Amino acid sequence: MSNTNPFDEYDDNPAPHNPPRIPVPRTSLEDTDLPLPTLTPTPTPTPAPPLLLEHRVLKALLGAWALAACSPEETAAVEEHLGDCGACADEALRLREAVGLLHPPETLDLDPALRTRVLQACLTRRPPRIPVPSWATPYDAETARLDALLQDIGDAEWHAPVRLRWFDGKEPTSRRTTVAGVIAHLLTVDGLVAVTLGLEDPLETRTDTPTPAARTEAFWGATSYPPTRSVRGPWREQSHNLVRTVAFAGGGSGRLPVPYGDFELPLRDSMLDRAFETWVHAGDIADAVDYPYEPPSPRHLHAMIDLGARMLPSALAARRQAGLAAPGETPHLVPAGTPGRSLRLEIEGLGGGEWLIPLDSPGALASADREVAHVALDGVEFCQLAAGHVSPEEAAAGQSGDREAIRDVLFAAASLSRM
């Protein structure tokens, strides 16, 4: 048994054989009378002497110097030489300017197709569990682009005047509103698709004729105050809900009919129609606030042009029934399902292609053997014509063949527009 007292370590006066558990602080040299050590300064390194090179060697190094490829010693030697030799200084200046031409300045604006490429790259690595149908992706892309534009504008610009333009069948017409009014217009017309999908209708006031124009006028007239930037939130939320709903519904939902009052479109075409109008009105807003805006990606633009080309036979028939089409010398109507006269519509540029348009009736078959006319248009200009932003007389179209048929098709394309 040990004789050590276990409490000795806690005594104020421990026994000599028990050293203190906590060491005593060490005394600083500054607190004593001893002299402080002398600090020897670190000597500054002597710079290396500059290279002594001949004139011909220095002249041969000018190209490498312009490309910043010389060593530090060679750079110092060349630059010291340029201060004494005017001929080499002029040559060095020319070489530096030539190097600048090899790296032209790049624009800071993002590539319009960047978002599509990033999404495609991400989806190839990890496919979505619930993919968005291909016929809904143009609407998803165009609403996202418009929302990015709206995020950049200030409060005052929401009240900038915008003139909505379309072709009423006989002549161009327009309606004045504001940037906020345009978003309210998109909100109410997109509401036609929302109602078809069982979502909430943003229009609380019912109209006798649920056309896009009547719904818009009802929304604008529901309050004594003009729309403000607060309309952006409901519009964007509704666009998200539309894309999410069609994704959950699957591709088969594309056959659902969407009524537009005096006509209807299947859901897959209606989503393309909404993408087209979103792009057109985004351009109207961009013009009003002096902001650059690019066309859709070529793939989406091609789908929009294809929708317009497929709607042309019905537009031609509607103009004939209204007595607006050229009468012609003899009637050319043919039974449905049989070949009839056709016009070749050639769309040039991005998103282009060729379409045969039946002229005699919507149910007639387009036939290359019965082609009577050929029209060539730029893709963006065809869309501007279909949006009512370019009159049929002003459309820069290359054309050959039956002039009356060409006139009817151009006017029918403009008649696709509406408020």
Side-chain angles (χ1 to χ4, degrees), residues 5 53 69 123 133 135 280 332 366 399:
N5 186 354
L53 303 175
L123 294 179
W135 42 264
V280 169
H332 296 284
Q399 46 189 265

Side-chain angles (χ1 to χ4, degrees), residues 206-290:
R206 295 293 176 261
T207 59
D208 297 333
T209 55
T211 62
R215 286 174 59 87
T216 300
E217 294 290 354
F219 188 92
W220 286 346
T223 176
S224 57
Y225 300 100
T228 63
R229 70 175 305 154
S230 61
V231 75
R232 176 192 171 195
W235 166 77
R236 194 65 179 116
E237 181 180 2
Q238 178 178 258
S239 66
H240 284 154
N241 290 336
L242 291 179
V243 175
R244 187 182 303 111
T245 303
V246 297
F248 277 102
S253 63
R255 294 187 294 271
L256 291 173
V258 179
Y260 281 74
D262 48 1
F263 69 98
E264 65 179 29
L265 291 173
L267 179 61
R268 61 186 306 124
D269 287 346
S270 183
M271 293 295 286
L272 273 176
D273 170 77
R274 304 313 311 138
F276 173 76
E277 188 169 359
T278 300
W279 163 46
V280 169
H281 289 325
D284 294 335
I285 293 174
D287 291 341
V289 299
D290 194 21

Side-chain angles (χ1 to χ4, degrees), residues 38-46:
T38 303
L39 297 179
T40 304
T42 302
T44 304
T46 304

Side-chain angles (χ1 to χ4, degrees), residues 29-376:
L29 183 62
E30 296 177 348
D31 297 333
T32 66
D33 296 332
L34 299 175
L36 296 176
T38 303
L39 297 179
T40 304
T42 302
T44 304
T46 304
L51 294 177
L52 298 178
L53 303 175
E54 299 180 5
H55 179 271
R56 60 181 182 84
V57 177
L58 293 169
K59 186 176 181 180
L61 288 174
L62 291 179
W65 173 84
L67 293 170
C70 289
S71 66
E73 295 79 9
E74 292 172 338
T75 300
V78 169
E79 291 179 352
E80 182 178 358
H81 175 68
L82 295 180
D84 301 329
C85 181
C88 287
D90 293 339
E91 180 67 16
L93 180 60
R94 286 192 294 268
L95 291 173
R96 271 290 170 90
E97 292 175 350
V99 170
L101 295 176
L102 297 176
H103 304 281
E106 298 181 357
T107 176
L108 297 179
D109 294 334
L110 294 178
D111 184 355
L114 177 61
R115 179 179 184 272
T116 301
R117 292 201 304 269
V118 171
L119 288 176
Q120 288 178 343
C122 294
L123 294 179
T124 53
R125 295 176 180 270
R126 184 179 179 182
R129 290 184 299 172
I130 305 176
V132 176
S134 59
W135 42 264
T137 53
Y139 175 78
D140 187 23
E142 292 309 310
T143 51
R145 289 208 305 148
L146 174 54
D147 190 55
L149 166 62
L150 298 177
Q151 187 175 4
D152 284 347
I153 67 177
D155 292 339
E157 291 174 314
W158 280 87
H159 303 286
V162 179
R163 187 167 293 278
L164 301 180
R165 296 171 289 164
W166 69 96
F167 189 79
D168 66 355
K170 297 180 181 179
E171 59 183 4
T173 185
S174 64
R175 176 73 155 81
R176 183 171 178 174
T177 182
T178 62
V179 170
V182 174
I183 302 303
H185 167 61
L186 292 175
L187 172 69
T188 53
V189 183
D190 288 356
L192 292 171
V193 183
V195 172
T196 300
L197 294 173
L199 302 176
E200 183 180 355
D201 189 350
L203 182 63
E204 298 178 357
T205 305
R206 295 293 176 261
T207 59
D208 297 333
T209 55
T211 62
R215 286 174 59 87
T216 300
E217 294 290 354
F219 188 92
W220 286 346
T223 176
S224 57
Y225 300 100
T228 63
R229 70 175 305 154
S230 61
V231 75
R232 176 192 171 195
W235 166 77
R236 194 65 179 116
E237 181 180 2
Q238 178 178 258
S239 66
H240 284 154
N241 290 336
L242 291 179
V243 175
R244 187 182 303 111
T245 303
V246 297
F248 277 102
S253 63
R255 294 187 294 271
L256 291 173
V258 179
Y260 281 74
D262 48 1
F263 69 98
E264 65 179 29
L265 291 173
L267 179 61
R268 61 186 306 124
D269 287 346
S270 183
M271 293 295 286
L272 273 176
D273 170 77
R274 304 313 311 138
F276 173 76
E277 188 169 359
T278 300
W279 163 46
V280 169
H281 289 325
D284 294 335
I285 293 174
D287 291 341
V289 299
D290 194 21
Y291 197 94
Y293 208 77
E294 297 295 329
S297 67
R299 180 164 54 91
H300 294 167
L301 186 62
H302 178 83
M304 297 175 190
I305 294 172
D306 177 71
L307 174 63
R310 288 188 283 112
M311 295 177 68
L312 280 177
S314 298
L316 283 168
R319 288 183 59 81
R320 274 195 299 267
Q321 293 175 358
L324 299 175
E329 298 179 0
T330 58
H332 296 284
L333 297 180
V334 298
T338 59
R341 297 179 312 140
S342 302
L343 176 141
R344 183 176 299 276
L345 176 63
E346 180 183 353
I347 302 300
E348 302 171 341
L350 299 177
E354 286 191 358
W355 289 262
L356 276 177
I357 311 299
L359 301 173
D360 295 330
S361 69
L365 296 179
S367 172
D369 295 334
R370 302 195 61 183
E371 181 180 324
V372 298
H374 183 186
V375 172

